[in-house]
Amino acid sequence: MTQQPQHTKTKRYGMVIDLDKCTGCGACMVACYAENNVPFRQDESDKMRSLNWIRVMKVDNGKPFPDTQVCYIPMPCMQCDGQHMEGHSPCVSVCPAVATDYDQTTGIVSQIYTRCFGCRYCMAACPYHARKFNWWDPKWPADMEKYLNPDVSARMRGVVEKCSFCYHRYQKARDKAYVEGREELHEDEYQTACAQACPTNAIAFGDLHNPEHAVYSLSRSKTAFRLLERLNTNPKVYYLSSKSWVRRKADNYLEGENPEQIREKARKAAATH
């Protein structure tokens, strides 16, 4: 994988999710199912067998009532930039079939299903469990094939699936801009289905390199953080929370550990490689 030349203007699409606004309603998950033709099982009560590209996790502060506090964390693919910000994310680095790759022009980690042969190395490498293996051929109830999105291919069994930041929407917006003689996309021209469906506007999506996009300033907020930052995967999904216990749990620290000392050790270790 080659690094993008310095003179080339690149985009870095990312997401900022305000956890203080998220109610855990699951509208983002439903929108993702519908938009990306994610198949569902006849019996969805066994959630271990569910196939989903975005999950809403529930965490609490570990205190008994009445001091209990709950937080919901939507988790799509983190679209990692890799340790050296060159696109060498954990999943891309291990895929033997090049079925997943990093787009240097958008920062989006792709998934090419016709190349995937289901070895699941990427699933083992992903620290966020953002990838799902499709064990069954997709089936929909009678006449529900009409609800399928024609812009997204249905996947066969035996391949790994994941969130793509609704990349097909980017392609349509880019084609529209090309026809109109424009190079740049407006912020509202390319939005993910989960961001549009969120009833509390907890999810913001856009170009992290563009100061005119909301995510640019939100990702630089004092309350912004990312999951498992000490792994240096540099994810492009940021979270906001005014609660210190939420930010602490995001890096999965053990009791008594000092987050700043651990981050400093990780930075020093990265500098020696």
Side-chain angles (χ1 to χ4, degrees), residues 89-106:
S89 60
C91 55
V92 171
S93 301
V94 302
C95 181
V98 198
T100 184
D101 199 7
Y102 184 89
D103 187 347
Q104 294 285 354
T105 61
T106 62

Side-chain angles (χ1 to χ4, degrees), residues 8-213:
T8 304
K9 187 176 182 180
T10 61
K11 298 176 177 62
R12 189 166 172 264
Y13 283 105
M15 190 175 286
V16 179
I17 304 176
D18 192 337
L19 302 184
D20 293 342
K21 293 182 178 179
C22 180
T23 62
C25 67
C28 55
M29 297 179 64
V30 175
C32 182
Y33 268 89
E35 179 70 22
N36 295 288
N37 298 335
V38 179
F40 46 85
R41 294 177 54 79
Q42 185 175 6
D43 180 11
E44 280 286 340
S45 61
D46 187 354
K47 304 312 293 182
M48 294 298 292
R49 296 188 175 188
S50 293
L51 185 67
N52 45 58
W53 289 9
I54 180 172
R55 298 163 294 152
V56 178
M57 310 297 290
K58 178 182 178 181
V59 297
D60 60 67
N61 60 351
K63 296 182 179 180
F65 180 83
D67 299 319
T68 305
Q69 293 183 359
V70 174
C71 177
Y72 297 95
I73 306 179
M75 291 183 60
C77 173
M78 299 292 146
Q79 309 291 341
C80 301
D81 277 330
Q83 182 174 354
H84 302 293
M85 305 292 289
E86 296 177 354
H88 294 285
S89 60
C91 55
V92 171
S93 301
V94 302
C95 181
V98 198
T100 184
D101 199 7
Y102 184 89
D103 187 347
Q104 294 285 354
T105 61
T106 62
I108 296 176
V109 178
S110 64
Q111 182 69 16
I112 306 172
Y113 305 107
T114 52
R115 292 182 182 176
C116 179
F117 53 81
C119 68
R120 291 176 282 170
Y121 280 170
C122 59
M123 295 179 62
C126 177
Y128 304 101
H129 303 285
R131 292 171 169 267
K132 300 290 183 179
F133 187 74
N134 193 347
W135 290 95
W136 301 276
D137 287 321
K139 294 181 180 179
W140 288 271
D143 297 327
M144 284 206 66
E145 293 87 353
K146 298 178 181 179
Y147 113 101
L148 296 180
N149 186 349
D151 296 327
V152 182
S153 61
R155 285 74 59 189
M156 73 293 286
R157 67 177 177 180
V159 300
V160 176
E161 303 187 9
K162 78 169 194 72
C163 159
S164 63
F165 274 175
C166 294
Y167 189 75
H168 58 282
R169 290 189 171 195
Y170 170 74
Q171 291 176 311
K172 293 183 70 173
R174 183 186 57 186
D175 292 344
K176 180 177 182 291
Y178 177 80
V179 171
E180 296 176 355
R182 293 185 288 112
E183 292 185 3
E184 293 298 320
L185 300 180
H186 301 304
E187 184 177 10
D188 59 351
E189 286 187 297
Y190 172 37
Q191 290 291 311
T192 60
C194 57
Q196 289 185 329
C198 181
T200 61
N201 294 321
I203 303 177
F205 179 79
D207 184 4
L208 294 168
H209 281 174
N210 193 335
E212 297 180 359
H213 289 200

